[in-house]
């Protein structure tokens, strides 16, 4: 049996040109070690990031001493395994060079038995500066490659974009939401693996055919043997044991065991069924003694990316177990600039947040990292589908043989590691490169290709095709047969002509729509630019005040301060927030109110988009906003800030992504009340439509019985605006639609007859009282006059079951507080302490 000895203790580090050594944490990185030893300030506070750009220009030394138990030394084979070295490293064991690394995303192994001793082994690693390592590559190439988000100037490098030459997390070099902190270090576990006779190196469950009635599988078991002879290979699943006599031979070999499972418990995305999981255990026995074992968990499901021509273009949606699924969710970036700071609780909080927000998909975006196993395990458990990018984004890359070999091994390592996860539904080559270069549209793209000679252009595009059109799809096809591969997001199709590149009005493929925000287009354009799958769109906001205070002093609390501009990486981002706020919302009374109002502004924008996408189902079958999380405290497109605190958008998204949702669609004369169903079953429901004055007086109402068809969008009721609003003051009325099923409210939505900025809001008295005074976890929220965007706050870390909601007098809101607790559970009902309530009228300078 394989025995494992982790080597995480007693590490120290030093600059290569110094003699002083300091304590180090492994896994970790140089920046966190420097900060822990008081050698640099907090990189996230103020403008400190700018003062520590010297770190990535130096080489760094890490070393430890360790003993090896005799039972480990007695094994005939011993490997050292580095699951992640960031990035250029030479590793010495007892003064012998055992490996050289040059890719953050690969697993590195070396056979070390002959170098080990029982006591005082010395493991020494030299991390070479990624800047000094890659500058010569740029010089040899002779011209720079496009890398829009590489903040080289901030790093003191002028226009020398080096991120494209290293297989290292692109966001480390900066992005339009993240700092430039180019790390080095041992960022994933390091261990000794010892074994004798044989070991199982991998088990892959290939799902040949999965239906509701039957699952036909193949367990492909990779065995590394140092012996020749007969052995018994066992596969354990669901109380069954499948056995096969095999003849081992020295070296690597693969055996396949067929598995049939009748009436399988299928894995479903959240909202469509249970995310059922099966555990498989492979064992190798010689003379009835188990000599090798390996366990994995997977879910049984049939996943298809359906692209079928229709009278509107070509579909683009995921079909799970025969059911078309509308993908609801967001884009995911790394949870920290220093990824080793992300523990299981932080991963769990993000995935539970996604689940609680009625999401069923996250896109692991290509400028970050292939995430930790913990992330994918949680997505498996919670039924969150994963659109998995390879780690390439917004850049063009070299095409030399060494680079391509490195990328190929990176792809193999990560596809093998992740292919058993049922959550992964798509492998995508890169983020936005096809559309940015726009090879077949001379006037298209981001202006990249026009900077190069025809010879250079041909070289750059040839490298692109080698990676994304040949190398990566080949790896996916060989190692995860049947898995969907998409070359670039966004893209229409791999056509080799101008029709390949995505546009805002594409009728096939996926779309990144950024007209709202970057082009300052109105929110209403979310109803115009609708594609088959909206894989990116977004709008910025600031985090809440206590998060801003984590990086800024009171003197910095104004929009144009150096710190506020430093913690805004999207060029004109702060100006755009203010410009849009002037268009859509009342003027905030002060800077703290501006922070809150920016969140409401963001939420209103993205709610418009989500509902437009969902109403267009089945033409549009996916809505993934940018982005769910942050890697540091910052003004950004996130719906949940760096500390995991939900912004207004997270609550709006939770409501907008409900499995059964109400949405209003308005034209010049009518308002249609539409019901969107993502359910697998039909439903009988009651729709109440009521018109209220802001003082709570009900003016008109209508009730109708509705047959809600599964997985459909329907117009349940349409009203004539003139008939319903005659005699009313439009800025002082609200339309409320409520959908109920057997006394349970499925959804409730408000609609206004004027823009929010023109609503005549009076000062509201909002009361919050516990439903049961003895436990104080669930509360009734009421108001005396209409209150827009009621915000509940408490000093305890956690979230409310609902927040930033509109409240009509007489329509009570029931809210539960969910405390954020470390450990195996997250967002559990708890007592919040003192709750305060405010609304838009409290944050604005309008006359009361």
């Amino acid at each position: 049996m394989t025995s494992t000895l982790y080597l995480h203790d007693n590490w120290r580090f030093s600059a290569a040109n110094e003699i002083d050594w300091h304590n180090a944490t492994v896994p970790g990185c140089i920046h966190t070690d420097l900060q822990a030893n008081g050698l640099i300030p907090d990189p996230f506070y103020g403008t400190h990031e700018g003062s520590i750009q010297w770190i990535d220009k130096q080489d760094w030394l890490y070393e430890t001493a360790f003993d090896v138990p005799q039972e480990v030394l007695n094994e005939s084979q011993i490997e050292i395994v580095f699951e992640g070295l960031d990035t250029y490293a030479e590793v010495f064991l007892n003064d012998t060079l055992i490996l050289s690394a040059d890719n953050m995303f690969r697993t590195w192994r070396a056979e070390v038995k002959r170098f080990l001793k029982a006591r005082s082994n010395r493991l020494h690693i030299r991390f070479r500066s990624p800047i000094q390592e890659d500058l010569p590559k740029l010089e040899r190439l002779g011209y720079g490659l496009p890398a829009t988000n590489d903040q080289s100037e901030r790093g003191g490098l002028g226009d020398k974009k080096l991120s494209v030459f290293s297989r290292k997390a692109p966001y480390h070099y900066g992005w339009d939401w993240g700092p430039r902190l180019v790390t080095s270090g041992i960022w994933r576990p390091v261990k000794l693996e010892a074994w004798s006779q044989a070991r199982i190196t991998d088990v892959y469950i290939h799902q040949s055919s999965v239906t509701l009635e039957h699952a036909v599988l193949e367990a492909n078991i990779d065995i590394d043997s140092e012996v020749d002879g007969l052995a018994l290979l066992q596969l354990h699943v669901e109380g069954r044991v499948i056995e096969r006599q095999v003849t081992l031979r020295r070296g690597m070999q693969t055996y396949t065991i067929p598995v049939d499972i009748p009436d399988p418990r299928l894995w479903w995305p959240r909202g469509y069924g249970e995310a059922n999981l099966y555990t498989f255990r492979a064992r190798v026995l010689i003379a009835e003694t188990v000599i090798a074992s390996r366990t994995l968990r997977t879910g049984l499901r049939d996943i298809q990316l359906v692209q079928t021509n229709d009278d509107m273009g070509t579909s683009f949606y995921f079909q799970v177990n025969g059911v078309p699924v509308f993908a609801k969710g967001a884009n995911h970036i790394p949870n920290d600039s220093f990824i080793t700071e992300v523990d299981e609780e932080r991963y769990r909080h993000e995935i539970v947040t996604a689940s609680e927000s009625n999401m069923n998909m996250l896109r692991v975006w290509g400028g970050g990292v292939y995430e930790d196993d913990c992330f994918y395990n949680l997505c498996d458990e919670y039924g969150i589908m994963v659109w998995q990018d390879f780690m390439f984004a917004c850049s063009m890359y070299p095409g030399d043989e060494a680079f391509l070999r490195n990328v190929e091994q990176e792809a193999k390592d990560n596809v093998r590691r992740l292919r058993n996860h049922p959550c992964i539904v798509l492998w995508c080559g890169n983020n936005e490169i096809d559309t940015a270069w726009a090879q077949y549209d001379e006037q298209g793209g981001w202006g990249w290709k026009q900077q190069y000679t025809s010879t250079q252009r041909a070289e750059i595009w040839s490298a692109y095709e080698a990676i994304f059109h040949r190398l990566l799809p080949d790896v996916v096809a060989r190692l995860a047969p049947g898995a969907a591969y998409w070359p670039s997001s966004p893209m229409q199709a791999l056509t080799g002509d101008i029709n390949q590149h995505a546009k805002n009005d594409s009728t096939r493929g996926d779309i990144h729509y950024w007209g709202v925000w970057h082009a300052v287009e109105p929110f209403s354009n979310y109803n115009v630019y609708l594609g088959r799958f909206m894989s990116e769109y977004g709008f910025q906001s600031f985090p809440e005040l206590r998060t801003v205070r984590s990086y800024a002093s009171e003197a910095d609390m104004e929009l144009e301060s150096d710190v506020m501009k430093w913690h805004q990486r999207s060029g004109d981002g702060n100006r755009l927030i203010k410009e849009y706020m002037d268009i859509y919302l009342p003027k905030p009374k002060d800077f703290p109110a501006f922070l809150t109002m920016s969140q409401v502004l963001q939420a209103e924008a993205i709610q418009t988009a989500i509902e437009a996408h969902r109403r267009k189902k089945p033409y549009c079958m996916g809505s993934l906003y940018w982005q769910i999380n942050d890697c540091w405290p910052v003004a950004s497109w996130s719906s949940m800030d760096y500390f995991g605190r939900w912004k207004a958008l997270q609550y709006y998204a939770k409501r907008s992504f409900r499995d059964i949702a109400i949405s209003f669609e308005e034209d010049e004369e009518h308002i249609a009340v539409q019901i969107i169903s993502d359910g697998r079953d039909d439903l009988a429901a009651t729709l109440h439509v009521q018109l209220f004055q802001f003082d709570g007086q009900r003016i008109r109402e209508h009730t109708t019985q509705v047959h809600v068809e599964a997985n459909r969008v329907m117009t349940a009721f349409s009203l004539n605006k003139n008939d319903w609003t005659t005699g009313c003051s439009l800025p002082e009325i609200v339309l409320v639609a409520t959908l109920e099923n057997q006394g349970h409210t499925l959804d409730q939505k408000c609609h206004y007859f004027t823009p929010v900025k023109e609503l005549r809001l009076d000062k509201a008295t909002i009361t919050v009282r516990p439903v049961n005074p003895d436990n104080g976890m669930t509360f009734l929220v009421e108001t005396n006059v209409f209150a827009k965007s009621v915000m509940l706050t408490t000093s305890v870390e956690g979230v409310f079951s609902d927040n930033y909601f509109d409240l009509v007098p007489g329509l009570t809101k029931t809210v539960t507080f969910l405390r954020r607790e470390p450990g195996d559970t997250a967002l559990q009902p708890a007592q919040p302490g003192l709750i305060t309530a405010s609304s838009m009228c409290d944050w604005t300078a309008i006359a009361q």
Side-chain angles (χ1 to χ4, degrees):
M1 297 288 288
T2 301
S3 58
T4 302
L5 177 66
Y6 285 94
L7 305 178
H8 293 164
D9 298 330
N10 305 316
W11 284 89
R12 61 179 189 164
F13 77 97
S14 173
N17 59 352
E18 296 179 359
I19 59 173
D20 294 330
W21 289 84
H22 310 277
N23 292 332
T25 298
V26 170
C29 77
I30 185 59
H31 290 73
T32 52
D33 284 334
L34 287 167
Q35 184 183 356
N37 283 274
L39 300 175
I40 61 170
D42 178 359
F44 293 165
Y45 189 82
T47 61
H48 289 167
E49 173 206 348
S51 69
I52 59 174
Q53 293 301 309
W54 56 271
I55 296 172
D56 59 40
K57 316 299 188 300
Q58 294 192 204
D59 291 359
W60 295 95
L61 309 179
Y62 276 75
E63 67 175 32
T64 187
F66 62 94
D67 300 334
V68 182
Q70 191 59 47
E71 59 268 24
V72 174
L73 287 174
N74 288 342
E75 300 285 4
S76 57
Q77 303 287 336
I78 307 176
E79 278 187 337
I80 193 167
V81 182
F82 292 91
E83 295 183 14
L85 289 170
D86 178 16
T87 292
Y88 298 107
E90 296 166 320
V91 182
F92 298 84
L93 178 59
N94 293 329
D95 299 322
T96 298
L97 177 66
I98 58 172
L99 65 84
S100 295
D102 61 356
N103 189 321
M104 176 180 179
F105 304 125
R106 287 174 58 180
T107 298
W108 298 93
R109 296 176 175 268
E111 203 289 322
V112 295
K113 180 177 174 64
R114 64 189 184 278
F115 306 121
L116 288 171
K117 52 189 179 180
R119 309 282 296 177
S120 301
N121 294 277
R122 180 172 176 263
L123 184 59
H124 178 89
I125 306 176
R126 183 184 187 102
F127 287 99
R128 303 191 304 278
S129 159
I131 304 306
Q132 307 301 343
E133 185 76 15
D134 290 334
L135 275 170
K137 298 176 185 176
L138 174 61
E139 293 170 4
R140 286 194 297 271
L141 184 62
Y143 54 85
L145 292 169
T148 302
N149 286 283
D150 184 325
Q151 298 171 9
S152 55
E153 291 188 3
R154 195 179 292 271
L157 299 172
D159 62 355
K160 296 178 180 178
K161 311 287 189 181
L162 301 180
S163 57
V164 297
F165 297 102
S166 66
R167 291 312 300 144
K168 174 176 173 57
Y171 84 110
H172 284 170
Y173 295 83
W175 219 266
D176 58 4
W177 37 258
R180 185 187 185 278
L181 295 165
V182 184
T183 58
S184 292
I186 307 167
W187 76 289
R188 277 185 172 158
V190 53
K191 59 194 175 183
L192 293 179
E193 288 186 352
W195 58 281
S196 297
Q197 294 184 287
R199 64 173 173 173
I200 299 174
T201 60
D202 191 33
V203 179
Y204 169 48
I205 305 299
H206 174 53
Q207 304 187 26
S208 303
S209 173
V210 177
T211 66
L212 297 174
E213 295 80 22
H214 202 70
V216 179
L217 317 174
E218 292 178 345
N220 298 299
I221 304 167
D222 294 342
I223 301 174
D224 188 4
S225 177
E226 60 173 3
V227 299
D228 295 319
L230 294 176
L232 181 66
L233 183 57
Q234 292 182 339
L235 184 69
H236 296 246
V237 58
E238 293 291 290
R240 297 168 53 197
V241 181
I242 305 170
E243 295 184 334
R244 178 180 173 186
Q245 292 287 341
V246 299
T247 301
L248 296 177
R249 63 185 187 279
R250 293 178 184 271
M252 291 296 302
Q253 55 232 273
T254 300
Y255 295 99
T256 299
I257 296 181
V259 184
D260 291 329
I261 299 179
D263 301 318
R265 302 187 314 278
L266 299 183
W267 185 91
W268 291 94
R270 193 221 63 81
Y272 288 82
E274 296 297 320
N276 295 299
L277 298 170
Y278 284 76
T279 298
F280 293 80
R281 176 178 295 172
R283 304 200 306 176
V284 178
L285 296 84
I286 295 180
E288 299 184 351
T289 299
V290 178
I291 63 167
S293 178
R294 193 177 183 100
T295 300
L296 70 89
R297 187 181 65 168
T298 190
L300 307 183
R301 82 289 186 271
D302 176 71
I303 297 282
Q304 304 292 331
L305 174 61
V306 180
Q307 298 179 82
T308 304
N309 293 336
D310 55 32
D311 57 4
M312 298 174 288
T314 305
S315 67
F316 190 104
Y317 68 90
F318 295 94
Q319 182 174 281
V320 183
N321 303 324
V323 178
V325 172
F326 189 99
K328 301 179 292 188
N331 287 258
H332 158 92
I333 66 170
N335 277 303
D336 209 295
S337 291
F338 311 121
I339 198 67
T340 53
E341 295 296 290
V342 184
D343 58 13
E344 181 179 352
E345 192 277 331
R346 286 178 68 179
Y347 278 124
R348 185 173 294 275
H349 180 65
E350 180 190 2
I351 304 308
V352 171
T353 289
S355 178
E356 289 289 320
S357 301
N358 298 309
M359 296 179 178
N360 59 29
M361 179 177 279
L362 292 173
R363 174 182 175 229
V364 178
W365 162 81
V369 298
Y370 306 94
E371 281 292 354
D372 188 84
D373 291 339
C374 176
F375 174 89
Y376 301 98
N377 288 337
L378 289 165
C379 289
D380 289 344
E381 294 171 14
Y382 284 89
I384 304 298
M385 297 182 292
V386 172
W387 169 313
Q388 178 66 52
D389 281 6
F390 286 96
M391 292 303 113
F392 301 89
C394 301
S395 306
M396 302 302 286
Y397 293 87
D400 58 276
E401 185 178 349
F403 188 85
L404 295 180
R405 283 200 309 267
N406 203 354
V407 168
E408 182 178 22
Q409 191 56 51
E410 166 192 324
K412 288 178 178 178
D413 283 0
N414 286 283
V415 172
R416 281 196 184 101
R417 178 171 70 93
L418 301 177
R419 61 187 174 177
N420 281 311
H421 287 283
C423 63
I424 295 181
V425 299
L426 180 73
W427 292 91
C428 180
N430 68 71
N431 176 74
E432 295 188 340
I433 305 179
D434 182 86
T435 191
W437 184 263
Q439 170 71 8
Y440 304 108
D441 183 356
E442 191 58 34
Q443 305 307 313
W446 298 357
W448 285 359
K449 58 182 179 289
Q450 290 82 0
Q451 304 171 36
Y452 299 92
T453 67
S454 58
T455 299
Q456 291 169 342
R457 285 171 59 163
E459 290 175 350
I460 294 170
W461 184 248
S462 176
Y464 178 91
E465 290 190 307
I467 297 170
F468 303 110
H469 295 175
R470 293 193 293 276
L471 189 156
L472 293 179
D474 179 65
V475 170
V476 172
R478 285 188 287 117
L479 298 183
Y485 174 81
W486 189 238
S488 181
S489 178
M491 199 177 79
Q492 290 196 69
L494 191 56
T495 61
D497 59 26
I498 197 171
N499 297 309
Q500 180 167 304
H501 313 309
K503 303 183 184 305
N504 284 343
D505 58 357
S506 298
T507 60
R508 56 179 174 170
D510 66 318
I511 290 176
H512 294 188
Y513 172 60
W514 284 100
V516 175
W517 183 257
H518 287 304
V520 204
E521 294 177 12
F523 293 175
S524 58
N525 274 13
Y526 283 128
N527 295 289
V528 176
Y529 296 110
L530 292 158
R532 309 310 295 257
F533 196 105
M534 306 300 292
S535 49
E536 262 197 42
Y537 58 94
F539 197 94
Q540 274 203 359
S541 74
F542 278 81
E544 62 182 76
L545 181 60
R546 58 179 166 169
T547 295
V548 174
R549 282 178 171 152
S550 75
Y551 63 81
S553 69
E554 289 302 316
D556 302 316
M557 294 293 173
E558 63 99 2
L559 196 59
E560 295 302 313
S561 72
D562 288 343
V563 171
M564 290 306 149
K565 290 189 286 188
W566 195 276
H567 285 253
Q568 168 58 270
R569 293 304 170 90
S570 178
D572 290 334
N574 289 351
R575 179 190 63 79
L576 285 172
I577 293 174
K578 186 177 186 307
E579 183 174 339
Y580 270 108
M581 194 176 297
D582 289 343
I583 296 171
Y584 287 102
L585 295 181
K587 182 179 179 181
K589 66 180 181 181
D590 53 26
F591 188 68
F594 177 86
L595 301 178
T596 302
M597 293 281 280
S598 77
Q599 292 193 24
V600 174
L601 178 72
Q602 175 195 37
E604 294 275 341
I606 300 304
Q607 174 181 265
T608 302
I610 292 172
E611 292 192 21
H613 302 158
R614 295 190 70 192
R615 285 196 306 266
K616 199 67 172 177
K617 171 181 170 176
Y619 176 82
C620 177
M621 285 295 286
S623 183
L624 308 179
Y625 65 78
W626 184 270
Q627 65 211 62
I628 190 173
N629 59 331
D630 275 326
C631 69
W632 71 319
V634 67
S636 81
W637 294 274
S638 71
S639 57
M640 179 175 67
D641 75 20
Y642 173 72
F643 297 106
R645 295 163 182 160
W646 286 24
K647 295 182 180 179
L649 171 54
Q650 199 68 57
Y651 292 100
Y652 273 60
K654 177 180 180 179
R655 295 193 291 265
S656 296
F657 280 143
R658 279 179 174 142
D659 295 335
I660 308 293
I662 293 171
S663 182
F664 295 97
E665 190 165 35
E666 183 176 7
D667 60 25
E668 290 296 321
E669 296 183 358
H670 297 89
I671 295 174
V673 182
Q674 297 194 324
I675 299 175
I676 305 162
S677 169
D678 287 337
R680 292 171 58 195
D681 299 307
D682 291 0
L683 184 72
T686 302
L687 176 67
H688 302 284
V689 182
Q690 303 173 89
L691 184 66
F692 291 94
Q693 291 185 170
F694 282 0
D695 63 5
Q697 179 181 346
R698 186 168 56 216
I699 303 168
R700 286 178 178 79
E701 64 179 321
H702 176 84
T703 298
T704 186
Q705 300 303 310
V706 181
H707 179 75
V708 181
E709 290 189 56
N711 226 359
R712 293 287 186 272
V713 179
M714 63 175 293
T715 298
F717 179 65
S718 181
L719 61 88
N720 182 286
K721 288 193 290 188
N722 286 336
D723 292 345
W724 272 61
T725 62
T726 299
C728 297
S729 172
L730 297 185
E732 297 177 286
I733 57 174
V734 56
L735 187 69
V736 181
T738 306
L739 189 68
E740 295 180 343
N741 170 252
Q742 298 179 349
H744 172 66
T745 298
L746 300 173
D747 195 12
Q748 186 176 81
K749 286 280 173 63
C750 293
H751 180 79
Y752 311 100
F753 295 85
T754 64
V756 172
K757 184 177 182 178
E758 298 175 13
L759 296 178
R760 293 177 189 162
L761 302 174
D762 288 329
K763 175 69 174 177
T765 300
I766 302 168
T767 59
V768 182
R769 53 188 175 87
V771 172
N772 182 348
D774 293 333
N775 64 39
M777 295 183 291
T778 300
F779 303 85
L780 297 178
V781 187
E782 300 173 295
T783 184
N784 64 327
V785 296
F786 174 74
K788 181 80 178 77
S789 301
V790 173
M791 179 180 69
L792 305 177
T793 58
T794 177
S795 61
V796 179
E797 287 290 346
V799 303
F800 291 92
S801 59
D802 202 359
N803 209 347
Y804 293 91
F805 49 82
D806 299 345
L807 194 59
V808 176
L811 300 184
T812 303
K813 173 72 72 171
T814 302
V815 175
T816 299
F817 180 72
L818 305 170
R819 186 165 186 164
R820 183 180 177 187
E821 295 280 7
D824 292 336
T825 58
L827 301 183
Q828 296 298 306
Q831 294 185 349
L834 180 65
I835 298 176
T836 59
S838 60
S839 63
M840 187 173 290
C841 202
D842 299 304
W843 315 321
T844 60
I846 61 176
Q848 303 299 320

